[in-house]
Amino acid sequence: MLFWFAMHNYIYINRYYLAFFAITLIYFLNMFLDVMEIDAAQYAAISREMSENKSFLQVYDRGKDYLDKPPLLFWLSSISFMIFGVSNFTYKLPSVLILLLGLYSTYRFTLLWYDKQRALFAAFILACSQAYFLITNDVRTDGNLLSMVIFSIWQLSQFLKSGKWKNLVLGAIGVGAAMLAKGPIGMVVPAAAIGADLIYKQHWKMIFNPKWLVFLIIVAIILLPMAIGLYLQFDLHPEKTVYDLQGPSGLKFFFWTQSFGRLTGDIYWNNGAPFHFFIYTILWDFQPWVLLFFVALTRKIIILFKERFHANKDKEYMSLFGFVLIFLALSSSQYKLPHYLFVIFPFAAIITSDFLCSLESNWFNKIKKIQFVFMHLFIVAVITGYVLFFYPQNYTHIIFMCILFLLSWYIYLQKKYNLTDKLILSTVFISATFNFCLTTHIYPQLMTYQTQAYAGKFAYQNNIPHNMFYTYRTRAHALDFYARRAVEEINLDSIKYLKTGTYIYTHQEGLNDIMQRDNNFKIIKSMAHYHITALKLPFLMKNTRHDHTEKRYIIQKI
């Protein structure tokens, strides 16, 4: 009896630490998973190349000019490679640490305007959103952008309250870093959120405060190294062609074309996504909170109308205006991808947390029960994944998942916990159960079908020289990253001149081409291949998977 009492007391006292441990454990395990094609693998390969050639101001991809993304991610990961060596973990390490800063910044910003409970729950809501779990695995530029944006908004909000130079300087550093992460949107989001809040409250003195000039100067200094690199690499070389743009200005591309050009049509990128595209994508990316968020957002907007748009000077409107204005702006873009929306998820977390902590007990009881029942769909998804998709290889991770799941039920049933704790923490532990299954079982199984990574590891682990390993019609960034070099693509006319013992990675059509030209090759490895970032149900179903994969080969000349 004494033992059970001590255990109950321990769980209650440490309930938030246990929840945070469950979440960060998944982040940590995600860092060991292979990088995914296309974006993450490309960024990892560029970072490795940068760590090798030490070209920090001018960015190259396979030795060719690269202009798409700003260099912050490449700088951080290449430095990590130089210190700790090249690996999945060291590529993801800087970005995951910055994501933790994003959680802390969300907590501190919320604490400025609300109470400690709302601040803590806002951080938890963001931390166990599917978007956050995803970007600790599939590391792209969006994690750095999200974190530096909310960091800058926290610091600038503190500046607005205290007037301290320290906070203005840190806010400027945050905005500069956000722009180095993904371009002008790193400035647009804080400007939209804070600017709309100040205009709504009619704080004209603060809007025209001359200290903002210092802010802009600091941001410019932060951007200066990148600007110099862009000017040297592109503006001084009008003869270059990049992304079908003849003689592009690197500076114009960064400050206008790559971001605002998607709204104005200055760039040809257009994937035909409809205006309501992000309404669909948020249904998954902000799980398991999305239903609560929709209600919370609607409530916030209704309150604005009820107040007849008379601003309360003591309230913050940054989260509401920041989310709505940026959501509408991104929805107007010609080119949309789900992760573009991640930058405003801290606002969504704050809105949701405020809503939950404002509910009266009778309404809260109903919502708590609906949410808890809804969360069990994630457990159904786990069981479905085991039965229909991938059988478990061992049962160690299942035991840990059961512990997490039982913790969610334990907290839900205990009378000692308040209603908000029950809803938030039970949701966190069920979400952790689901994502622990993804990280320790589903993703490792899926990665076996990313054969470019296997081929790259094969070349590196067997110390195959550069001139003895090629790719034919199957070039990929994961191949380059894991081979620790840019693997050369061979043409068909050169096949007959290859030395005995040379390896080639290719697909079925490539194999047919090669064997017709020179049949002195043997198959070393035959692999089932699938583009795992574009999953479809027929591939996931184990009974039909074979019909939806293609063959990839490593062959050797004999």
Side-chain angles (χ1 to χ4, degrees):
M1 182 66 73
L2 186 61
F3 169 77
W4 288 112
F5 175 79
M7 187 190 74
H8 293 327
N9 196 48
Y10 176 83
I11 293 174
Y12 179 75
I13 293 171
N14 297 285
R15 61 195 184 281
Y16 299 133
Y17 295 110
L18 290 171
F20 185 68
F21 171 77
I23 293 168
T24 53
L25 175 64
I26 297 167
Y27 295 170
F28 178 74
L29 295 173
N30 277 340
M31 294 166 69
F32 292 93
L33 296 173
D34 282 355
V35 295
M36 296 184 187
E37 288 282 2
I38 300 175
D39 287 354
Q42 181 184 28
Y43 302 157
I46 290 173
S47 301
R48 186 211 61 78
E49 188 172 347
M50 181 179 284
S51 71
E52 188 176 86
N53 62 26
K54 307 297 187 298
S55 176
F56 293 101
L57 296 185
Q58 300 181 41
V59 183
Y60 297 96
D61 179 14
R62 295 169 173 160
K64 296 180 180 179
D65 294 308
Y66 178 84
L67 185 56
D68 188 10
K69 293 295 186 295
L72 182 64
L73 174 62
F74 311 137
W75 288 348
L76 295 174
S77 291
S78 63
I79 292 170
S80 180
F81 289 157
M82 291 164 65
I83 297 173
F84 303 110
V86 177
S87 68
N88 297 323
F89 183 88
T90 53
Y91 166 64
K92 299 177 183 182
L93 176 62
S95 294
V96 172
L97 292 177
I98 290 176
L99 282 167
L100 294 178
L101 173 63
L103 293 178
Y104 181 69
S105 300
T106 302
Y107 170 80
R108 291 298 302 270
F109 169 77
T110 312
L111 194 60
L112 275 178
W113 297 97
Y114 302 92
D115 54 49
K116 188 173 182 179
Q117 186 184 47
R118 283 172 170 81
L120 187 63
F121 290 156
F124 270 124
I125 289 169
L126 180 61
C128 81
S129 64
Q130 285 305 123
Y132 235 76
F133 283 124
L134 175 63
I135 53 180
T136 57
N137 171 16
D138 190 18
V139 169
R140 309 186 190 196
T141 57
D142 303 275
N144 293 335
L145 173 67
L146 178 158
S147 298
M148 299 317 301
V149 162
I150 191 61
F151 171 79
S152 66
I153 291 174
W154 160 39
Q155 290 297 328
L156 293 175
S157 296
Q158 186 70 63
F159 166 71
L160 294 175
K161 285 198 166 206
S162 68
K164 291 182 179 178
W165 279 103
K166 175 186 75 172
N167 300 117
L168 182 71
V169 171
L170 289 173
I173 292 172
V175 168
M179 294 181 73
L180 286 174
K182 207 171 182 179
I185 193 171
M187 172 77 83
V188 169
V189 178
I194 296 173
D197 181 273
L198 292 175
I199 292 170
Y200 188 64
K201 293 176 180 176
Q202 298 182 6
H203 285 330
W204 309 117
K205 261 189 172 182
M206 183 53 68
I207 291 174
F208 296 106
N209 189 330
K211 289 182 179 179
W212 292 117
L213 294 174
V214 178
F215 168 86
L216 292 175
I217 291 171
I218 296 170
V219 171
I221 292 171
I222 299 288
L223 297 176
L224 187 60
M226 179 198 67
I228 292 172
L230 288 171
Y231 181 78
L232 293 175
Q233 190 171 3
F234 297 102
D235 292 70
L236 285 181
H237 296 280
E239 75 280 2
K240 290 184 176 181
T241 301
V242 184
Y243 306 134
D244 293 333
L245 300 172
Q246 180 60 48
S249 163
L251 295 173
K252 182 184 175 184
F253 186 88
F254 172 80
F255 286 105
W256 180 262
T257 310
Q258 201 265 355
S259 296
F260 302 110
R262 303 186 188 200
L263 299 173
T264 63
D266 285 3
I267 195 166
Y268 61 86
W269 294 341
N270 188 335
N271 62 354
F275 183 84
H276 53 274
F277 174 80
F278 290 119
I279 296 176
Y280 295 146
T281 64
I282 198 174
L283 290 174
W284 172 249
D285 293 326
F286 202 61
Q287 288 288 2
W289 313 102
V290 69
L291 298 181
L292 297 172
F293 167 68
F294 284 151
V295 178
L297 181 63
T298 304
R299 171 181 171 270
K300 277 269 189 185
I301 294 171
I302 290 172
I303 288 173
L304 274 188
F305 280 94
K306 282 185 175 180
E307 293 175 347
R308 297 185 179 182
F309 296 93
H310 292 140
N312 182 336
K313 308 289 186 181
D314 297 323
K315 289 174 65 175
E316 67 86 18
Y317 299 92
M318 296 174 226
S319 54
L320 176 61
F321 292 142
F323 184 90
V324 172
L325 293 176
I326 300 303
F327 184 92
L328 293 174
L330 291 173
S331 295
S332 302
S333 172
Q334 296 180 125
Y335 192 87
K336 305 179 189 72
L337 291 173
H339 53 272
Y340 290 179
L341 204 62
F342 291 0
V343 65
I344 55 176
F345 278 7
F347 300 144
I350 294 164
I351 292 169
T352 307
S353 176
D354 179 43
F355 166 69
L356 292 176
C357 294
S358 301
L359 282 174
E360 296 177 3
S361 59
N362 58 336
W363 276 103
F364 205 105
N365 255 319
K366 294 175 183 177
I367 288 177
K368 178 197 70 174
K369 291 174 183 176
I370 293 170
Q371 175 73 0
F372 191 65
V373 171
F374 170 73
M375 285 307 301
H376 282 71
L377 293 177
F378 285 80
I379 303 304
V380 172
V382 169
I383 296 169
T384 302
Y386 283 131
V387 175
L388 298 180
F389 302 158
F390 298 103
Y391 286 130
Q393 304 298 311
N394 64 72
Y395 296 95
T396 306
H397 68 281
I398 295 179
I399 294 171
F400 190 80
M401 284 166 50
C402 289
I403 293 171
L404 292 174
F405 180 61
L406 291 173
L407 264 174
S408 70
W409 266 94
Y410 168 82
I411 289 171
Y412 184 81
L413 295 174
Q414 287 296 309
K415 294 181 180 179
K416 192 173 185 179
Y417 294 80
N418 63 47
L419 291 174
T420 319
D421 272 1
K422 286 187 177 187
L423 188 148
I424 297 287
L425 295 179
S426 61
T427 300
V428 166
F429 283 116
I430 293 181
S431 179
T433 304
F434 174 73
N435 282 281
F436 190 79
C437 171
L438 291 181
T439 297
T440 60
H441 180 61
I442 301 297
Y443 280 132
Q445 293 291 325
L446 289 174
M447 294 310 297
T448 62
Y449 293 90
Q450 185 172 276
T451 60
Q452 308 99 320
Y454 178 89
K457 292 174 186 177
F458 178 88
Y460 178 72
Q461 292 168 359
N462 289 282
N463 296 313
I464 301 173
H466 289 222
N467 63 346
M468 296 289 285
F469 191 94
Y470 298 92
T471 179
Y472 175 67
R473 296 177 60 183
T474 50
R475 196 163 190 180
H477 289 95
L479 176 63
D480 295 346
F481 177 66
Y482 289 106
R484 307 292 200 274
R485 63 180 187 256
V487 177
E488 185 179 343
E489 184 166 12
I490 197 167
N491 61 58
L492 201 57
D493 293 333
S494 302
I495 296 292
K496 61 183 177 181
Y497 300 112
L498 293 177
K499 299 177 183 177
T500 300
T502 299
Y503 295 89
I504 300 176
Y505 167 68
T506 190
H507 50 43
Q508 185 65 58
E509 291 179 2
L511 177 65
N512 295 340
D513 289 347
I514 292 169
M515 297 302 282
Q516 287 175 8
R517 186 61 61 96
D518 185 346
N519 62 3
N520 292 316
F521 282 89
K522 65 177 179 178
I523 296 173
I524 300 298
K525 181 73 175 178
S526 173
M527 301 164 283
H529 177 85
Y530 190 84
H531 183 35
I532 61 170
T533 55
L535 295 176
K536 293 183 179 178
L537 187 60
F539 165 75
L540 289 173
M541 298 291 290
K542 61 177 180 287
N543 294 331
T544 57
R545 186 176 306 137
H546 178 76
D547 298 329
H548 295 272
T549 59
E550 62 171 290
K551 283 291 185 182
R552 293 286 175 95
Y553 302 93
I554 298 176
I555 60 176
Q556 186 181 32
K557 187 165 186 179
I558 55 177

